[in-house]
Amino acid sequence: MIQELTRLPGVGPKTAQRLAFFLLAQPIADVQSLAEALLRARQNTRQCGVCCNLTEEDPCPLCSDSRRDRDAICVVERPADVQAVERTRDFHGRYHVLHGVISPLEGVGPEDIRLAELLRRLGEGTCREVIVATNPSVEGEATAMYIARLVKPLGIRVTRLASGLPAGGDLEYADQVTLSRALQGRREL
Amino acid sequence: MWIQQVHLTNFRNYPRLGLELAPGRNYLFGPNGAGKTNLLEAIRVGAHGRSHRGAQDAELARWGTAAFRVRLKAAGSRRSVELEVTWEQGTGKRATLDRAPLPRLADVLGQVPVVIFSPQDLDLVQSGPVFRRRYLDLLLCQVRPAYYDQWLEYQRVLAQRNKLLRATGGTPPPKEQEVWDSQLVATGGPLIEDRRRLVASLNEVVPGLQAAVAGGREDLQVEYRPGVLLPPAGDPAEAFHRHLVRARPLERRRGTTMAGPHRDELVLRLDGRDARATASQGQQRTVALALKLAEVELLRRQGEEPVLLLDDVFSELDPGRRGALLRLLERPGQTLVTAAAPDGVPPARGDDRAYQVGGGHINRCQG
């Protein structure tokens, strides 16, 4: 069990051991309901046929929500990123989950992430802007640029999230990278 | 800035050490193998996060132990700092500044400016371009903290691009090639710009320092030769792109990136000729020393006087150059000098301090 647990992200040998001993000390019924919950969640979850987000229904609630705008698609790396953007409640368009970024070092090419699905959606002709919200890492930037090269020729606007200072934060505590990026991306007042 | 105290735990041959230093010149005497270089190495680990000898962390821990600690207390014109670098088997190295953890080890750079000159620095002149790029990079990291992140980004892009070239037999799909080319230019361009500016500042101080150490007989100039063909005019990013396009057949054959700042060279011209090829061993030593003293000068311009660590340099210099170096050391900052024995090294003056090193201890000499 400890070995199985170590495979989870963010769980090292010590945490795995602690979790294992905790579970072993619990009543059988509790462990059973946890096991069943895990199994049920996994069995009932699949990728949405439209946006590739994880969902129990296909298409997912976000894609089938007719109140959401069809003219903007926000492209993210992971399902968790959808939640992050949703929390802002400032975006009313649709999403597309890539499930990864281009990274030759990890053997991930453009055909290994959900780009073909994105292009198919764009072919429907309702989308007028693609907002690329991949992480500001080397691979996230490369993927964003790759998407721009694919999508711009279709006559669709491609934008990238701005990078800058955290709101409500103190300038003095901002890390150097963030601060120098914010300096490069400064705007006219 | 000057280092007031050095505290070591299980570092090299020191089980425990607490050493008080003087703000001026500190002489460390002791036979070979006594641990003089180990002390300078410890200071360098505390100030830069890594050894100047390229040692692995596990080698820095005292034999039979699995952890070490280096703590430096330093005072500057504007502030005092306490830096601590610890290493533990399994968890790696960590750093704290004034007892608060730093997010990354590299964040120690620039807190306590330290320049070390040791016999290995002859590599700066004699060996491959990687040593000279490292010299520029280390200096830039201390002068501009954001440089380190730019450098890391470039290394990552370079690794990705090289992997792509290898994985596709040198012919990646055009769209992917274009993306990584653009990333290489976007992250590499600023490195070239920063290095070019740094070399310009170096040339303001290097000729004077070389003349001072060599007694005014030799002229030293530093020439920056970027690993990208840049015409004197025009957009450098465009030129970088053009070079990448031109290098494609070569990259196909070699399976690796053939243009970019990772191929920069720094040519050291002594009286107009490449010092690597034509200078004598003694001249090369002087050139390396001049570059190190230039590092001191540029760090000083940042506002804090750096600490200069000289590891066994006097024994390698002829009497004329030794005297010249001694005159250069009549500078305001703190200097640590190691030597096997006091002969050949000047008699201690008023506020100089001398120490005897041996057996894992360092004791102040009396008188």
Side-chain angles (χ1 to χ4, degrees), chain A residues 6-188:
Chain A
T6 337
R7 291 170 47 207
L8 298 175
V11 177
K14 276 183 191 161
T15 310
Q17 197 177 27
R18 208 166 70 219
L19 291 173
F21 282 119
F22 174 82
L23 290 171
L24 291 177
Q26 298 304 300
I28 296 249
D30 288 10
V31 177
Q32 185 158 14
S33 74
L34 173 65
E36 280 165 6
L38 287 173
L39 205 57
R40 209 170 334 115
R42 179 62 193 92
Q43 275 166 347
N44 296 338
T45 305
R46 67 209 110 153
Q47 282 185 18
C48 169
V50 182
C51 70
C52 305
N53 197 4
L54 294 179
T55 177
E56 293 194 6
E57 314 147 38
D58 188 6
C60 73
L62 281 168
C63 286
S64 47
D65 186 343
S66 59
R67 287 165 305 175
R68 297 198 72 110
D69 302 336
R70 293 190 156 270
D71 54 3
I73 293 179
C74 179
V75 179
V76 298
E77 288 183 30
R78 307 256 159 230
D81 300 333
V82 173
Q83 304 298 319
V85 180
E86 270 302 279
R87 276 197 294 274
T88 68
R89 301 193 193 185
D90 277 337
F91 178 66
H92 308 290
R94 320 228 161 188
Y95 292 92
H96 191 85
V97 183
L98 294 173
H99 292 278
V101 278
I102 298 173
S103 174
L105 285 171
E106 273 126 300
V108 181
E111 63 288 346
D112 301 311
I113 56 178
R114 306 284 179 275
L115 281 173
E117 290 81 350
L118 176 65
L119 287 179
R120 208 177 54 226
R121 286 177 79 184
L122 296 177
E124 291 163 9
T126 55
C127 178
R128 288 186 305 175
E129 179 177 358
V130 169
I131 303 167
V132 187
T134 50
N135 290 330
S137 62
V138 161
E139 295 75 22
E141 294 294 345
T143 307
M145 190 182 284
Y146 191 84
I147 291 173
R149 277 170 198 256
L150 287 180
V151 174
K152 271 191 182 161
L154 306 175
I156 297 170
R157 188 172 172 221
V158 183
T159 54
R160 177 96 177 97
L161 287 193
S163 62
L165 293 170
D170 266 330
L171 200 62
E172 112 179 75
Y173 296 118
D175 68 283
Q176 297 146 7
V177 199
T178 310
L179 200 49
S180 47
R181 282 225 175 122
L183 208 56
Q184 280 161 23
R186 68 187 181 275
R187 59 190 160 81
E188 196 79 45

Side-chain angles (χ1 to χ4, degrees), chain B residues 102-253:
Chain B
L102 286 169
R104 298 178 311 180
L105 181 66
D107 294 327
V108 298
L109 271 172
Q111 295 293 345
V112 180
V114 163
V115 175
I116 185 162
F117 183 67
S118 69
Q120 283 104 320
D121 284 315
L122 207 46
D123 280 334
L124 259 178
V125 189
Q126 280 184 342
S127 301
V130 62
F131 289 93
R132 289 177 287 284
R133 285 194 294 269
R134 206 176 284 160
Y135 166 79
L136 294 179
D137 287 340
L138 184 60
L139 191 44
L140 279 165
C141 284
Q142 296 183 76
V143 172
R144 246 196 94 220
Y147 180 85
Y148 176 69
D149 296 286
Q150 283 179 2
W151 183 87
L152 274 186
E153 267 198 324
Y154 179 75
Q155 297 302 321
R156 180 80 187 167
V157 171
L158 184 63
Q160 292 280 19
R161 193 176 182 278
N162 283 339
K163 182 70 207 253
L164 181 70
L165 284 171
R166 272 196 308 278
T168 56
T171 47
K175 277 206 187 64
E176 275 180 81
Q177 167 109 49
E178 282 165 30
V179 163
W180 291 109
D181 282 7
S182 296
Q183 296 287 314
L184 198 74
V185 172
T187 55
L191 296 190
I192 294 178
E193 210 33 62
D194 279 346
R195 286 177 180 175
R196 181 195 301 287
R197 257 199 300 261
L198 177 69
V199 171
S201 328
L202 279 173
N203 274 323
E204 291 169 18
V205 297
V206 159
L209 290 167
Q210 174 73 18
V213 183
R217 295 183 303 265
E218 293 161 357
D219 173 58
L220 178 65
Q221 297 278 338
V222 185
E223 181 191 327
Y224 179 52
R225 211 180 270 169
V228 177
L229 293 170
L230 296 174
D235 180 16
E238 221 169 87
F240 197 162
H241 265 292
R242 270 203 307 277
H243 191 168
L244 284 172
V245 171
R246 207 162 347 134
R248 271 186 200 159
L250 194 59
E251 292 191 339
R252 236 186 320 271
R253 281 200 302 278

Side-chain angles (χ1 to χ4, degrees), chain B residues 79-84 95-102 107-108 111:
Chain B
R79 63 202 185 100
S80 297
V81 295
E82 195 177 312
L83 269 184
E84 188 173 275
T96 65
L97 172 63
D98 296 330
R99 296 178 187 255
L102 286 169
D107 294 327
V108 298
Q111 295 293 345

